[in-house]
Amino acid sequence: MNDKIIAILSEVKEDPSLLQTLQPTSDIVNDAGLDSLQMINFMLAIEDEFDIQIDFDTFDYDHLASIEIFSAFLRVSKAAQPQT
């Protein structure tokens, strides 16, 4: 999941070098350098890619502290959602 998140970040930023520079411990906001519009596009791409609806009532800015932390948040969120 971490590699796919990195690929999505690279795509949203239109910066292929992120594929080599971002690590699972990279901060999504600071290391990837997402602006507000890119953050929205990133979240939408994540929802599409992982077939998940992010619950922004449980989402916290701290979930973006690293790709690993965000990945764990997504796994927990997906497990909590009803399967269709």
Side-chain angles (χ1 to χ4, degrees), residues 2-25:
N2 291 341
D3 289 341
K4 190 59 186 171
I5 292 171
I6 291 170
I8 291 169
L9 285 166
S10 174
E11 184 177 314
V12 167
K13 286 291 292 181
E14 298 179 358
D15 184 354
S17 71
L18 292 176
L19 294 170
Q20 282 75 44
T21 58
L22 292 178
Q23 302 298 318
T25 56

Side-chain angles (χ1 to χ4, degrees), residues 1-3 5-6 21-28 31 64-71:
M1 182 178 280
N2 291 341
D3 289 341
I5 292 171
I6 291 170
T21 58
L22 292 178
Q23 302 298 318
T25 56
S26 296
D27 182 302
I28 291 176
D31 294 336
L64 301 174
S66 77
I67 292 168
E68 291 172 321
I69 292 170
F70 186 62
S71 181

Side-chain angles (χ1 to χ4, degrees), residues 7-8 12 16 31 35 39 45 47-48 59-60 64 67 69 73 75-76 79-81:
I8 291 169
V12 167
D31 294 336
D35 64 25
M39 180 59 74
E47 287 183 331
D48 287 345
F59 180 79
D60 189 274
L64 301 174
I67 292 168
I69 292 170
F73 168 77
R75 281 192 295 277
V76 169
Q81 291 183 0

Side-chain angles (χ1 to χ4, degrees), residues 23-62:
Q23 302 298 318
T25 56
S26 296
D27 182 302
I28 291 176
V29 175
N30 295 317
D31 294 336
L34 295 176
D35 64 25
S36 57
L37 181 57
Q38 290 168 335
M39 180 59 74
I40 292 167
N41 289 332
F42 170 68
M43 292 297 191
L44 292 172
I46 289 292
E47 287 183 331
D48 287 345
E49 178 63 32
F50 296 107
D51 191 29
I52 187 172
Q53 188 71 34
I54 295 174
D55 180 0
F56 289 98
D57 290 335
T58 61
F59 180 79
D60 189 274
Y61 190 76
D62 291 339

